[in-house]
Amino acid sequence: MELEKNIVSLKGVGETIAKKFKLLDVETVNDLINYFPRRYDDFSSLSPISALKPGQVSIKAKITSAKGRYVRRGMHITEAIASDESGSVRLVWFNQPYRVESLKSHQEYFISGNFELSYQRFAVMNPSVELASDFPLNAARIVPVYRETKGLKSAAIRKIIASARNIIENLEETLPDQIIAENNLLDRSEAIMAMHFPKNMGRMEAAKKRLGFEEIFGLSLASLINKKQASAEKTHVIPFKEDLARQFVARLPFKLTDSQRKVVWQIYQDMQKDEPMNRLVEGDVGSGKTVVATMAALMAADHGYQAAFMAPTELLARQHADTLHSMLKSIGKEHEAILLIGSMKPAQKSAAHKQIKSGKAKFIIGTHALIAEKVDMHKLSLVIVDEQHRFGVEQRKKLQKKSGGTMPHVLTMTATPIPRTLALTLYGELDISIISEKPKGRLPVKTEIVSPNSRLQMYRKVDKEIAAGSQMFVVCPLIAESDMLQALSAERVYEGLAKSVFKHRRVGLLHGKMKADEKEKIMEQFVHKNLNILVSTTVVEVGVDVPNATIMLVEGAERFGLAQIHQLRGRVGRRGQQAYCYIVMSDSKAPSKRLKALENTTDGFKLAELDLEIRGPGAIYGRMQSGQLDLRVAKLTDVKLIESARNSAKDFIESKEQLANYPDLACQISNYRSITNLN
Ligand code: ADP
Ligand code: MG
């Protein structure tokens, strides 16, 4: 098909240009026509020269004179006079000596540029000039501006896209007609035309709506199909035993919050069904997710099944094992819990394997290696994935194998708040529970933005806390890499603190490039109070409990997402003591509104929404997903669009429509299905 051909098949595209396009990830004709402008400059309205006003202007005029000269070494100015019936105006270009040659008198041109003061006189500065025609590209229209690369400027891209105009005008529709009609959308060909050649801004907006709708519709459809397929898998039914739950809750050293109760109840209902649970529990750091997960595992274990509890690190696995052990003790089940991690001695390991194989061990706590390693868990019915919100198709397939072809129930837990729009699209195939309240009596972390000038003062305050026995995390955005930002690197900060300000304290360093066992050792030292201060990158083990830490100091705060800082500060004051978070700016400018929000709100969702709005999904997913999730047009903050696309996708699934009748759509969706691989 024409669309799949390499762009060299287009007029004006040779190998050289094709290579440059490749740098922009454009290889096929299809890539090219979907290479949408970054922004638009509205030069669409022509004015008579006599009526020009400062700002972006377009005129239709002849060039009456043009000359170039060097004003200083290396600085060239071209000046020309353009005239129409109403008058004349000066045109000025800097460092474009070829202009003089290219301007012919007696020709009529479209000229677009900024009309502004230059050396006390008004002129059109650095204008685009193009022979007047019915179909101008670079002037006298809404001019699309593309992301450029060296040697491939927007003007050239415009020209090449124009040579594919014929193809765009004959594009086939990808969406079902009914959906187009119901949602009042432009058809595909119209929309892509309007992206590259908008007649007016309204048309361009309509095009964005159509294309954004298509992306979200596809994503939603993909996640709904995934969900449907996943729910058809065979699973273990785990009936609810009320007595057991009551007994367990009664013996806890605290009263469950209403949120925790509600979520546990949702989980129990899921596990009673004959389709595998796939639920995500979201709750701020400290909201008490562990006990919720333990209660889920308890129910499975009591029916003779096994539950695997997977933590992101060995240290955290060990902490979980201790926690579970003490919670289960109250009902005499502590011997059913077992830890299995890589660093255990071979003898311990083989003992653990034996207990798992015999079925004596029902609560199996470890890291993600649990599903990779050769662990024989034939009665596995529940998998708990802690501190991760992505657990994809691949991992689930592995689990299925581990439990003899039956799909275990999966419960993932995360402290990352996921805005509603993301929940509907990317996470559409998960059921989500939210633990919305923290246990009573928790003090909010006192949060303060600190300008570099007040750094010493802050250190003095902090040192008093440390003297009183508290511990402090210092989190830096970098390890060491960039020269320019060395001041923000964990290594540099560590040296600064350890050798001067806090030389009377024990300071440790932890970063992602260290070996896993080194990291664990340092972390352990910190947990056991052998260090007062831990300087680290964000590898600070998620969820690790350092009960005695009350201070979180974040360096280079502008570089972090708000939700990320929010999670960091959730790691201090875990015993309910007053805790502090210092957000240190890298310069003394006034802090942004964005950062200010951290001082004023403790609502993780609000912060995540702000992140999404200002920084896009990457801020929430980190590196993991934003790259793959190549939404070209749709904004993940556009709730209205997302809801209507999502509803259309639902209707489509419920109707008798066959996806196979829409081959292009089907192809898109199979791509999306691997992205939203959360089923
Ligand atoms: P997270 O959601 O970050 O995983 P944890 O499960 O580690 O939180 O719980 C944090 C602390 O709160 C633990 O010490 C836990 O025992 C305690 N906790 C959990 N639920 C409650 C509750 N309802 N009331 C009081 N303390 C609770
Ligand atoms: Mg936790």
Side-chain angles (χ1 to χ4, degrees):
M1 230 176 59
E2 205 144 11
L3 288 176
E4 297 313 316
K5 281 192 190 155
N6 192 283
I7 52 172
V8 291
S9 66
L10 294 172
K11 202 177 128 229
V13 184
E15 292 296 340
T16 323
I17 289 185
K19 254 191 211 143
K20 306 236 185 253
F21 266 113
K22 202 167 169 192
L23 298 175
L24 300 170
D25 286 325
V26 173
E27 296 188 56
T28 64
V29 174
N30 194 47
D31 295 338
L32 179 76
I33 67 179
N34 285 294
Y35 190 71
F36 298 131
R38 205 157 53 75
R39 65 179 169 89
Y40 298 86
D41 285 335
D42 190 351
F43 286 111
S44 59
S45 80
L46 286 175
S47 45
I49 289 174
S50 62
L52 287 180
K53 293 198 180 67
Q56 292 189 340
V57 298
S58 291
I59 55 176
K60 188 178 184 185
K62 288 183 176 163
I63 304 291
T64 45
S65 76
K67 58 177 187 297
R69 65 196 150 95
Y70 284 90
V71 281
R72 264 181 265 127
R73 210 161 52 146
M75 167 75 133
H76 183 274
I77 286 190
T78 308
E79 283 188 303
I81 304 294
S83 309
D84 66 8
E85 278 156 15
S86 74
S88 300
V89 67
R90 203 162 58 104
L91 314 178
V92 175
W93 293 269
F94 292 112
N95 294 333
Q96 299 183 19
Y98 57 88
R99 284 282 176 187
V100 175
E101 284 298 304
S102 68
L103 297 169
K104 306 272 181 285
S105 51
H106 308 299
Q107 296 273 26
E108 208 157 24
Y109 290 100
F110 285 136
I111 298 162
S112 293
N114 217 33
F115 187 53
E116 61 187 65
L117 268 181
S118 161
Y119 300 106
Q120 283 96 48
R121 280 196 300 155
F122 270 97
V124 186
M125 304 303 294
N126 291 312
S128 303
V129 176
E130 181 175 314
L131 281 179
S133 71
D134 294 339
F135 195 68
L137 284 180
N138 303 313
R141 65 178 286 223
I142 294 175
V143 179
V145 180
Y146 296 90
R147 191 160 60 86
E148 303 175 340
T149 184
K150 200 162 176 253
L152 187 62
K153 296 281 171 253
S154 271
I157 298 174
R158 276 173 221 135
K159 198 166 148 198
I160 289 157
I161 289 179
S163 72
R165 202 180 148 174
N166 204 8
I167 298 173
I168 300 176
E169 280 175 333
N170 292 299
L171 279 178
E172 280 180 34
E173 184 49 67
T174 41
L175 290 175
D177 291 342
Q178 198 188 339
I179 285 175
I180 304 254
E182 276 171 7
N183 294 280
N184 212 355
L185 303 172
L186 297 186
D187 70 36
R188 183 166 180 78
S189 159
E190 287 174 325
I192 294 188
M193 270 308 278
M195 289 300 280
H196 296 295
F197 310 102
K199 288 201 186 76
N200 52 56
M201 290 300 201
R203 190 82 175 160
M204 182 271 288
E205 291 299 339
K208 280 190 173 168
K209 179 183 158 195
R210 144 76 208 221
L211 296 166
F213 184 98
E214 182 169 351
E215 288 171 340
I216 301 296
F217 176 78
L219 209 49
S220 302
L221 204 52
S223 69
L224 290 170
I225 292 171
N226 280 351
K227 185 171 186 169
K228 203 169 169 184
Q229 263 185 18
S231 65
E233 300 277 0
K234 226 172 71 183
T235 193
H236 297 288
V237 174
I238 301 172
F240 172 58
K241 288 188 181 172
E242 189 175 344
D243 284 353
L244 177 67
R246 278 190 188 285
Q247 201 184 26
F248 180 80
V249 169
R251 294 176 192 185
L252 283 173
F254 47 74
K255 194 166 164 280
L256 288 182
T257 61
D258 289 345
S259 275
Q260 283 171 318
R261 272 172 204 283
K262 203 181 77 199
V263 173
V264 170
W265 178 238
Q266 287 168 335
I267 293 169
Y268 282 159
Q269 296 213 310
D270 284 355
M271 297 200 313
Q272 293 195 75
K273 291 190 202 148
D274 62 355
E275 54 188 70
M277 167 170 73
N278 190 16
R279 185 171 288 279
L280 174 75
V281 174
E282 285 183 71
D284 259 359
V285 180
S287 61
K289 296 185 288 292
T290 317
V291 63
V292 168
T294 306
M295 288 187 72
L298 180 66
M299 203 52 72
D302 203 66
H303 285 93
Y305 294 120
Q306 290 174 315
F309 203 129
M310 304 196 301
T313 67
E314 295 206 344
L315 181 61
L316 195 52
R318 249 180 267 141
Q319 285 194 343
H320 279 327
D322 290 344
T323 307
L324 254 73
H325 196 267
S326 68
M327 280 199 269
L328 293 172
K329 202 164 185 177
S330 69
I331 53 165
K333 283 185 186 284
E334 73 273 24
H335 303 298
E336 295 179 13
I338 200 157
L339 177 72
L340 179 59
I341 50 178
S343 61
M344 282 175 14
K345 296 200 180 80
Q348 285 177 308
K349 261 195 206 167
S350 80
H353 278 284
K354 234 180 249 159
Q355 290 201 39
I356 293 169
K357 190 163 182 193
S358 74
K360 182 164 179 280
K362 301 206 170 64
F363 303 82
I364 303 156
I365 303 128
T367 64
H368 285 249
L370 276 185
I371 53 167
E373 270 176 26
K374 289 196 194 75
V375 189
D376 198 355
M377 293 190 275
H378 52 287
K379 295 203 101 182
L380 181 64
S381 74
L382 171 67
V383 173
I384 295 158
V385 189
D386 190 25
E387 296 300 349
Q388 203 184 12
H389 51 90
R390 279 172 51 79
F391 191 72
V393 171
E394 286 311 308
Q395 287 97 324
R396 280 171 59 97
K397 290 246 169 72
K398 275 189 194 151
L399 288 179
Q400 198 170 15
K401 269 197 203 132
K402 275 227 173 322
S403 68
T406 307
M407 183 65 87
H409 299 288
V410 176
L411 186 65
T412 32
M413 303 196 290
T414 180
T416 306
I418 299 168
R420 184 174 152 67
T421 51
L422 286 183
L424 285 176
T425 46
L426 270 182
Y427 293 89
E429 50 213 88
L430 286 168
D431 295 306
I432 298 184
S433 297
I434 297 172
I435 304 184
S436 53
E437 60 186 328
K438 284 201 182 173
K440 291 209 175 54
R442 293 279 165 84
L443 300 166
V445 178
K446 280 193 181 152
T447 300
E448 192 184 313
I449 298 176
V450 179
S451 110
N453 309 336
S454 329
R455 191 183 275 279
L456 286 180
Q457 234 173 310
M458 170 195 62
Y459 285 150
R460 250 177 263 136
K461 258 196 288 188
V462 160
D463 200 48
K464 277 190 200 139
E465 286 276 316
I466 294 176
S470 272
Q471 289 170 283
M472 168 165 76
F473 285 102
V474 179
V475 175
C476 308
L478 310 157
I479 304 174
E481 294 107 312
S482 153
D483 284 340
M484 214 172 57
L485 296 165
Q486 261 187 10
L488 295 178
S489 78
E491 284 177 351
R492 203 36 105 70
V493 170
Y494 166 76
E495 275 175 21
L497 296 184
K499 289 197 183 137
S500 64
V501 193
F502 290 110
K503 60 173 184 285
H504 54 301
R505 305 284 176 208
R506 278 158 300 161
V507 187
L509 171 68
L510 181 76
H511 59 69
K513 282 205 180 138
M514 289 163 58
K515 290 208 193 83
D517 55 342
E518 272 179 272
K519 278 195 277 190
E520 297 248 347
K521 217 168 82 196
I522 298 278
M523 202 61 214
E524 216 142 349
Q525 283 178 3
F526 192 51
V527 172
H528 294 129
K529 302 195 212 173
N530 296 326
L531 295 171
N532 307 108
I533 299 171
L534 182 66
V535 180
S536 77
T537 50
T538 47
V539 295
V540 179
E541 312 298 332
V542 264
V544 167
D545 222 344
V546 187
N548 201 47
T550 59
I551 305 158
M552 174 61 65
L553 196 162
V554 183
E555 289 281 351
E558 315 83 45
R559 277 159 208 284
F560 291 99
L562 298 183
Q564 207 179 0
I565 296 180
H566 180 65
Q567 280 181 52
L568 287 171
R569 73 180 166 186
R571 294 194 191 133
V572 290
R574 303 267 301 192
R575 259 196 341 232
Q577 343 67 311
Q578 179 61 60
Y580 304 88
C581 175
Y582 296 105
I583 300 173
V584 187
M585 311 256 302
S586 33
D587 58 37
S588 357
K589 290 193 199 121
S592 63
K593 259 212 193 115
R594 194 176 81 86
L595 282 181
K596 276 286 199 194
L598 281 165
E599 285 184 330
N600 308 325
T601 182
T602 53
D603 182 341
F605 279 93
K606 224 184 242 166
L607 296 169
E609 302 263 358
L610 267 176
D611 269 347
L612 184 62
E613 213 167 286
I614 301 171
R615 302 169 30 130
I620 296 166
Y621 294 113
R623 310 124 306 267
M624 289 188 293
Q625 194 147 26
S626 55
Q628 277 178 48
L629 176 68
D630 179 21
L631 292 182
R632 287 160 188 253
V633 186
K635 285 216 172 60
L636 281 168
T637 44
D638 191 342
V639 181
K640 236 172 83 189
L641 178 84
I642 285 171
E643 282 180 346
S644 62
R646 167 94 180 156
N647 287 334
S648 292
K650 266 195 190 142
D651 292 347
F652 185 85
I653 292 258
E654 279 160 20
S655 73
K656 294 276 166 289
E657 285 266 40
Q658 293 296 317
L659 192 53
N661 296 337
Y662 303 93
D664 291 325
L665 185 62
C667 173
Q668 263 179 32
I669 282 165
S670 77
N671 286 336
Y672 282 140
R673 285 187 64 185
S674 62
I675 297 173
T676 73
N677 60 357
L678 297 145
N679 67 325

